[in-house]
C-alpha cells in the first residue's frame, strides 16, 4: 500500500509501505476514503529534524472497515467509520468523563505517536476499534463526507475550545486564529449561542467564512493594536472567553491582553512553548482562567453529527482544496504558504 | 492615632500617624477593634526594599463605625463592621458577578495599595463604605470575633479556592500549604462536600487543625516524594482539584505533579513568579485547568457568616496568638519563624 511519510522539515513523500494488517484482537483495518492535512502537521513540516524521520503522518481520516479482530463488536466490514485523532477505549474512567485524550488504556494514544500507521495513507490499522471508531450513517461518496471528516479533529477541537471556555448565550467570545480550528470554534460558539463572536485573522477568504459561520466582528490587527480593537468592541473590558487556536507565544500574549477579568483563555492550538506568563501581571490579578488541551473529539461526535446530517451545520466548508495521495506533498506546501486553508485527501 | 508601618524587610514599627478622617462623601471612618497579620504580609516582610517604605500595612480588620460621609446609607456610627481586603462598590458589573477584586470603580483597590491607610492601626478611612463594609450582628466583644475576622480575607480566600476549583461531592481535593488560607481551604472543601481532602503540610499543630477542619489525609513529604504520596492516595491518577495556597514555584510544580487529567489547579497563594510551565509537558497534554486569583471575599461574606453565627464553623481557630498594637512587630517575626500560625491584633 501507499502512505505519506515526513522525512524532515519541508520534505514529505508518498511511498510504498508494508500493508497495514490486523495485529490485535481489538483492531480494525480501515481503507481510507478521505483524509486531510492538519494545521498541526505544519509544525513538524516547519521544524522536523531528519534524524527524527521518516515518520508516518496524518491523524484525520474516515473510511471503510475492511476487516476486524475477533473481539471487535461495534463495527463490521463494509461500515463507513470516522476515526478521532486519539485512540481510546471509550470505557476507562477518563473516557467515561469525556476525556478520551487521557484514556488510560495502554493501547491508547495519538496517531502521531503510532510508528507504523498514519491517516494520510490507503489504509490504517486502528487499535481499540470499538472505542475509537464511530460508524457514519451515509455512503462513502456522500456529499456530507467533508463535513463528517471534520469530526475526526478540527470540528471537535473547535467545539472543545468553546465548551471548556464555558461559552453560552451571555458570553462575548474572541477567537484568535483563522485556521480551520479557529473557524470551527466560531461555528461552535455560534451553536452554543454566544452573544458576540470576534474573529481575529488577516486572510479575507478565511474571515469571510468565519462570518458565514457566525462571527459578528472581524479584527485583522494583531498585537497591541489588535488588543485595543477587541477591547473597543467589548465595551472596554475584553472578552469573557478567548479561544486561542494558534499555539504561539504572541497568540497567548494577545489572549492575555483581550480577556476580561474573570474570563477564560481556552487553548486548543498545540502550544509551541512550555513556559508562559501566569503571575500577577497576566492571569492572577484578575482571576483569569486557563483551560484547554488536546480535544477529546470522540466525546463530541454523537453530539455534533446530527447537525451535519440534517444540513444545519457545514463544517466541511473549511476544505478549499482536494487532492489524491500524490498531491499530498504539494498540499503541505500550499497550506504552509497559506494558499490552501485545508486540504482534503482522497487516497 | 497609632498605626503599623513597614520600613523594609524585617523592619515593622508602630508609630504615631495623622488621624484617619473622612475625605469622600462615600467614606466611613472605622475604629479598628480586631485586625490580623496575613501570610501575604510576610512576602514584603521578607523582601521589601527600604526605598519602597515606609508603607502602612494590614488588610484584614473589623471594627466600629465612628463616622460616615453624607452619601453612606448602609452603615451608621456604632455599627460593628468587617472590611474585605479589597475595596469595592458592590454595584459595578464585576461586583454584580461576584468579582469584587476587579471592581471597576476608580476608588476600588486593595488596602495594600492605599498609601495612608492600613488595617493594623487604630482606625481606618474606608472608601466606598456602602460597597466595602458588611455589618456584623454581634457585639465587638463577642466570642465569635476571631471567626468573623477571617471573613475579611483568609476564610473567603480559602473558600474562593474551593469554589473556583469546582469542589463538590465527587471531587478529591489536595491542598498545598498549611497556613491559614490552606487550612480554611480544607474547611471550605469540607463544607462543599469533597469526597477526599488531602492536606500537604509539615507542621503537626497546623495539620492537626487541618484534620479538625475536615482533612481526610495529611502528607508531610514535598517534591517528588510528596507527589508520589498523593498519587498513591488518589488511586494513582491524582487529585481533581489542587488548591495551591503558598505562591512559590515549587508549590506550583508540586500542583502540576499531583493534579489529575482534566483537573484544576486553583491558586490563591499570591504568585511569587510571573512565568511558569503551562505547555504540553505540564498543563496542556491532559487538559489541566488553571484558576484562581485574589479572592473576591466580599462576595462570600453573607454566604459564610451564618455558619459562623450558628457555631457550625469555627474558622477563627486559625488564630493561635493575640497581641495589642505594640506586639505587632514581634507578631510578624513569630509568623515568619512559624512560631505563630496567625496573629490576632487588638488595637
Amino acid at each position: 500500500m501507499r502512505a505519506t511519510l515526513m522525512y524532515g522539515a519541508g520534505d514529505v513523500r508518498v511511498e510504498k509501505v508494508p500493508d497495514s494488517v490486523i495485529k490485535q484482537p481489538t483492531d480494525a483495518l480501515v481503507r481510507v476514503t478521505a483524509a486531510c492535512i492538519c494545521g498541526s502537521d505544519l509544525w513538524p513540516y516547519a521544524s522536523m529534524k531528519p534524524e527524527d524521520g521518516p515518520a508516518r503522518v496524518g491523524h484525520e481520516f474516515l473510511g471503510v472497515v475492511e476487516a476486524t479482530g475477533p473481539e471487535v463488536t461495534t463495527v463490521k466490514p463494509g461500515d463507513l467509520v470516522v476515526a478521532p485523532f486519539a485512540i481510546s477505549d471509550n470505557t476507562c474512567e477518563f473516557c467515561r468523563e469525556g476525556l478520551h485524550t487521557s484514556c488510560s488504556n495502554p493501547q491508547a494514544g495519538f496517531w502521531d505517536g503510532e510508528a507504523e500507521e498514519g491517516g494520510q495513507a490507503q489504509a490504517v490499522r486502528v487499535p481499540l476499534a470499538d472505542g475509537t471508531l464511530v460508524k457514519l450513517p451515509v455512503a462513502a461518496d456522500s456529499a456530507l463526507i467533508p463535513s463528517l471528516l471534520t469530526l475526526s479533529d478540527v470540528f471537535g477541537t473547535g467545539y472543545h475550545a468553546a465548551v471548556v471556555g464555558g461559552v453560552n448565550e451571555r458570553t462575548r467570545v474572541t477567537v484568535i486564529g483563522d485556521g480551520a480550528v479557529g473557524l470551527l470554534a466560531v461555528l461552535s460558539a455560534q451553536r452554543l449561542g454566544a452573544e458576540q463572536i470576534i474573529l481575529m485573522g488577516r486572510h479575507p477568504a478565511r474571515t469571510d467564512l468565519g462570518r458565514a459561520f457566525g462571527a459578528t466582528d472581524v479584527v485583522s490587527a494583531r498585537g497591541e493594536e489588535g488588543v485595543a480593537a477587541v477591547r473597543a468592541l467589548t465595551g472596554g473590558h475584553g472578552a469573557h472567553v478567548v479561544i486561542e487556536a494558534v499555539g504561539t507565544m504572541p497568540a497567548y500574549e494577545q489572549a492575555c491582553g483581550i480577556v476580561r477579568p474573570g474570563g477564560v483563555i481556552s487553548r486548543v492550538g498545540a502550544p509551541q512553548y512550555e513556559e508562559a506568563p501566569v503571575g500577577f501581571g497576566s492571569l492572577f490579578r484578575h482571576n483569569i482562567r486557563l483551560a484547554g488541551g488536546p480535544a477529546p473529539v470522540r466525546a463530541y461526535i454523537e453530539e455534533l453529527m446530527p447537525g451535519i446530517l440534517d444540513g444545519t451545520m457545514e463544517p466541511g466548508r473549511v476544505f478549499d482544496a482536494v487532492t489524491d495521495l500524490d498531491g499530498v506533498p504539494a498540499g503541505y506546501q500550499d497550506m504552509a504558504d497559506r494558499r490552501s486553508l485545508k486540504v482534503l485527501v482522497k487516497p
Side-chain angles (χ1 to χ4, degrees), chain A:
Chain A
M1 62 176 242
R2 299 175 74 227
T4 307
L5 293 112
M6 191 176 291
Y7 277 77
D11 186 0
V12 169
R13 308 177 199 175
V14 177
E15 297 183 342
K16 201 161 182 307
V17 298
D19 284 354
S20 290
V21 295
I22 300 276
K23 291 184 178 173
Q24 300 289 332
T26 49
D27 286 350
L29 183 67
V30 174
R31 177 170 52 84
V32 178
T33 58
C36 41
I37 304 172
C38 187
S40 66
D41 293 330
L42 300 180
W43 295 120
Y45 188 69
S47 63
M48 184 177 168
K49 293 171 188 161
E51 57 265 34
D52 295 333
R56 297 281 284 277
V57 282
H59 55 256
E60 299 163 290
F61 64 96
L62 56 75
V64 177
V65 176
E66 297 236 305
T68 56
E71 292 180 13
V72 175
T73 62
T74 63
V75 297
K76 61 181 188 307
D79 285 349
L80 185 71
V81 293
V82 63
F85 71 84
I87 298 155
S88 63
D89 65 13
N90 203 28
T91 58
C92 81
E93 71 175 280
F94 294 103
C95 286
R96 289 198 306 274
E97 293 172 12
L99 193 63
H100 296 69
T101 40
S102 293
C103 176
S104 56
N105 191 297
Q107 292 187 64
F110 298 123
W111 289 111
D112 293 342
E114 296 287 310
E116 297 172 359
E117 304 293 342
Q120 292 158 13
Q122 289 182 307
V124 179
R125 176 182 76 87
V126 177
L128 301 174
D130 278 342
T132 305
L133 297 173
V134 179
K135 189 174 170 179
L136 298 172
V138 300
D141 60 354
S142 162
L144 297 176
I145 291 299
S147 285
L148 292 167
L149 180 57
T150 66
L151 295 174
S152 65
D153 183 348
V154 285
F155 192 15
T157 294
Y159 192 63
H160 182 62
V163 168
V164 300
V167 173
N168 62 37
E169 309 77 28
R170 297 175 303 284
T171 42
R172 297 170 180 261
V173 179
T174 298
V175 176
I176 300 177
D178 59 7
V181 169
L183 295 175
L184 291 173
V186 169
L187 181 63
S188 300
Q190 191 269 346
R191 183 178 188 276
L192 293 168
E195 184 182 310
Q196 182 182 29
I197 305 171
I198 302 168
L199 173 61
M200 303 192 80
R202 47 205 311 145
H203 302 88
R206 300 179 182 196
T207 54
D208 285 351
L209 181 54
R211 286 189 192 273
F213 279 161
T216 54
D217 305 273
V218 169
V219 169
S220 60
R222 292 183 188 177
E224 283 184 29
E225 197 187 338
V227 168
V230 171
R231 291 199 164 264
L233 285 166
T234 52
H237 292 307
H240 297 93
V241 184
V242 179
I243 294 175
E244 199 284 83
V246 179
T248 60
M249 183 50 63
Y252 178 88
E253 289 171 338
Q254 196 160 302
C256 289
I258 62 185
V259 66
R260 187 176 186 276
V264 186
I265 298 173
S266 179
R267 297 183 298 165
V268 285
Q272 304 303 303
Y273 51 83
E274 185 57 39
E275 304 248 329
V278 299
F280 212 83
S282 46
L283 305 187
F284 192 84
R285 168 64 186 91
H286 285 293
N287 277 273
I288 309 302
R289 286 164 290 155
L290 192 59
V297 298
R298 176 66 189 84
Y300 303 122
I301 292 179
E302 286 89 346
E303 185 181 348
L304 296 175
M305 203 188 310
I308 294 174
L309 296 176
D310 71 17
T312 53
M313 293 192 298
E314 295 182 276
R317 294 176 69 184
V318 295
F319 293 107
D320 58 353
V322 181
T323 184
D324 57 13
L325 214 45
D326 291 323
V328 168
Y332 271 83
Q333 195 57 47
D334 285 348
M335 282 179 62
D337 293 341
R338 303 289 185 271
R339 279 192 300 274
S340 293
L341 167 54
K342 193 167 178 72
V343 176
L344 193 152
V345 181
K346 292 191 170 179

